[in-house]
Amino acid sequence: MDRSTDKNTEKRKENKKTYRGRLVAAFVVVLVTTLLEIIYYGYHIMDNRDNVVHSFKNEQDSTAQIIADGLAGKSEDAMIHFIRHSVPVSGTTWGFILKDGRVLYMKDDDTTKNLENISSKAEFELYMEDLGGIVSEASVSGTEYVCGVFTDKDYVLEEYGTSNMEFYIVTAVIATILVFGCILIEFAGRIGHEGRKVIALQSNLTERNEKFDEYERLTDQYEEELRNRDFDKTEIKREGYYDLEIVDTLLSKSSDTELFPITFMFIRVRMGDRYFSRDAIFRIMDFIKGSMGKNHVTAELSKGYFVVIMYKTDLAAAEKTREEMLSKWEAFSKGAELETVLREVVSTENPRNTFYHEKDRLLDLANW
């Protein structure tokens, strides 16, 4: 049983390792799929933002050029007046006019006054870059003046509905992650459940196989002892020479319901006046064993009398096995007759009691 426990422990470890491997594989698949989805939608979000900004800047460049055309031929004061009153001003959009990189006017008087220290185009571009907006510029024809329009980028994206679209995309990604997570949890649960079923089934099968192995070991042990004995005719007549002891041992271990149904096949070989030699007995025993299944144990009860304990075999299956054995017996028997009786043991009966009752009733040498 210690060896059985070790085997079951090893199998449980192997199944747990397999379970963990499958779970890790499922987790990796979900993780990789989620990352690919995030990368895919992230790329489309950024691409959509760039398209919106690019499209808006094209329109704003046209507006800046129209303003520049409107300033052509005007004096500097007139240009400032035009920018101040003709270009819409809000918290997100305004116009400006430069001369040699100096700010003549931007957005309103207060902003213009705060930018008096900007004296070059490079400084102006750095300032506008910090604002993070969309800037469109156009040169006033034939002059050193540059006019332009500034619009806040976040305002543009909001007006074009990109925030809503990105919200829906993020929601979809989160929903997908949750779905994959639920699938992973379900998958892990199923694997665990199936793994536990497999472990239980393997344990049951191992225990059953070990029981049959033990029965076969006992049978082989007694048969080996029988073959290795030196005996004479007087010993042959003694009942202790035969396999009743092993049958009794097996029957005492046969109350486990997992072994049911159990059927006994009592067999008698009639050889007339011929002498049962040692080799003849073993040949008959080998023939009977060769006709049986792996769950069947054959034993000799007396000279020419045998019993087969047929574990996990109902009466119908036992009958089929008997017919197959009898069909082969004619070629093997060399004139000897084979008589059989079947007795099925149901799970409510004690196999040992049933056997001895049938043995006393059927194996009366004078009547059977």
Side-chain angles (χ1 to χ4, degrees):
M1 294 302 291
D2 292 339
R3 186 170 56 185
S4 169
T5 303
D6 292 341
K7 288 181 179 179
N8 289 336
T9 301
E10 291 177 3
K11 288 181 179 179
R12 279 193 290 268
K13 288 181 179 178
E14 291 176 2
N15 279 294
K16 287 180 180 178
K17 188 182 295 182
T18 302
Y19 163 70
R20 287 195 297 268
R22 291 179 179 176
L23 190 59
V24 170
F27 176 77
V28 170
V29 170
V30 172
L31 179 62
V32 170
T33 303
T34 303
L35 289 176
L36 290 175
E37 185 177 23
I38 291 173
I39 293 172
Y40 174 80
Y41 284 114
Y43 168 78
H44 281 281
I45 287 174
M46 298 305 298
D47 185 60
N48 181 66
R49 282 175 169 249
D50 291 341
N51 290 335
V52 169
V53 171
H54 180 73
S55 176
F56 182 84
K57 190 174 186 310
N58 287 338
E59 296 180 4
Q60 188 170 266
D61 287 345
S62 300
T63 302
Q65 187 59 54
I66 293 173
I67 295 173
D69 293 340
L71 295 177
K74 289 184 171 55
S75 64
E76 182 176 296
D77 291 339
M79 290 181 184
I80 294 173
H81 183 272
F82 183 86
I83 294 294
R84 178 184 285 120
H85 296 91
S86 300
V87 178
V89 177
S90 67
T92 56
T93 302
W94 62 82
F96 60 86
I97 185 168
L98 310 175
K99 180 181 181 182
D100 294 331
R102 293 182 301 106
V103 178
L104 297 180
Y105 182 82
M106 176 181 283
K107 188 177 181 179
D108 52 35
D109 294 333
D110 292 336
T111 303
T112 302
K113 186 175 182 179
N114 292 333
L115 298 179
E116 288 178 348
N117 58 336
I118 293 179
S119 59
S120 67
K121 185 66 180 299
E123 292 180 19
F124 174 78
E125 289 177 351
L126 286 175
Y127 173 78
M128 298 300 282
E129 184 176 341
D130 290 338
L131 294 178
I134 303 172
V135 180
S136 297
E137 296 181 354
S139 298
V140 179
S141 178
T143 68
E144 65 274 27
Y145 295 95
V146 175
C147 68
V149 180
F150 170 90
T151 304
D152 183 71
K153 185 185 293 185
D154 291 336
Y155 168 77
V156 173
L157 295 174
E158 183 70 26
E159 285 295 303
Y160 275 75
T162 55
S163 297
N164 292 334
M165 185 194 72
E166 290 170 6
F167 172 77
Y168 294 135
I169 290 176
V170 171
T171 302
V173 171
I174 294 174
T176 303
I177 293 174
L178 291 176
V179 170
F180 278 135
C182 292
I183 292 174
L184 178 60
I185 294 172
E186 177 68 17
F187 181 67
R190 287 180 179 271
I191 291 178
H193 178 67
E194 294 300 323
R196 289 188 292 272
K197 287 174 60 178
V198 170
I199 291 173
L201 180 60
Q202 287 179 339
S203 298
N204 291 336
L205 290 176
T206 300
E207 291 177 4
R208 293 183 183 183
N209 290 337
E210 286 174 349
K211 288 177 183 177
F212 286 120
D213 289 342
E214 178 66 15
Y215 299 147
E216 289 184 7
R217 187 189 65 78
L218 290 173
T219 304
D220 293 341
Q221 176 184 337
Y222 279 96
E223 287 186 359
E224 186 65 24
E225 292 178 1
L226 180 64
R227 291 180 186 276
N228 293 333
R229 282 185 184 178
D230 292 325
F231 57 91
D232 55 19
K233 293 183 180 179
T234 57
E235 186 180 9
I236 294 176
K237 295 178 182 178
R238 292 165 52 197
E239 186 176 3
Y241 168 80
Y242 298 101
D243 297 338
L244 189 58
E245 182 180 352
I246 185 173
V247 172
D248 189 73
T249 301
L250 291 174
L251 293 175
S252 67
K253 298 174 178 288
S254 300
S255 59
D256 192 336
T257 56
E258 293 181 356
L259 300 175
F260 283 84
I262 300 174
T263 301
F264 295 126
M265 181 187 295
F266 296 96
I267 302 172
R268 179 184 180 187
V269 182
R270 290 184 178 272
M271 296 189 69
D273 297 331
R274 279 172 290 179
Y275 173 70
F276 279 92
S277 68
R278 181 183 183 187
D279 290 340
I281 291 172
F282 288 136
R283 281 199 300 272
I284 294 171
M285 175 84 76
D286 290 340
F287 168 80
I288 295 173
K289 289 181 65 176
S291 302
M292 299 298 127
K294 63 179 181 179
N295 297 336
H296 303 161
V297 179
T298 304
E300 184 184 16
L301 299 179
S302 182
K303 184 173 65 174
Y305 291 83
F306 303 89
V307 65
V308 182
I309 306 175
M310 310 175 80
Y311 294 106
K312 297 188 73 64
T313 306
D314 59 21
L315 194 60
E319 181 66 38
K320 182 178 179 181
T321 301
R322 177 171 67 175
E323 291 176 358
E324 293 175 352
M325 180 184 68
L326 292 177
S327 67
K328 300 174 184 176
W329 174 253
E330 185 175 351
F332 174 85
S333 65
K334 298 181 180 179
E337 298 179 8
L338 195 67
E339 299 175 350
T340 61
V341 174
L342 295 176
R343 175 67 167 87
E344 184 179 23
V345 185
V346 297
S347 58
T348 57
E349 297 178 333
N350 186 314
R352 198 163 180 267
N353 295 340
T354 303
F355 168 78
Y356 282 109
H357 177 268
E358 292 300 318
K359 173 181 176 294
D360 295 340
R361 187 172 70 86
L362 297 175
L363 296 188
D364 184 344
L365 304 187
N367 298 322
W368 190 37

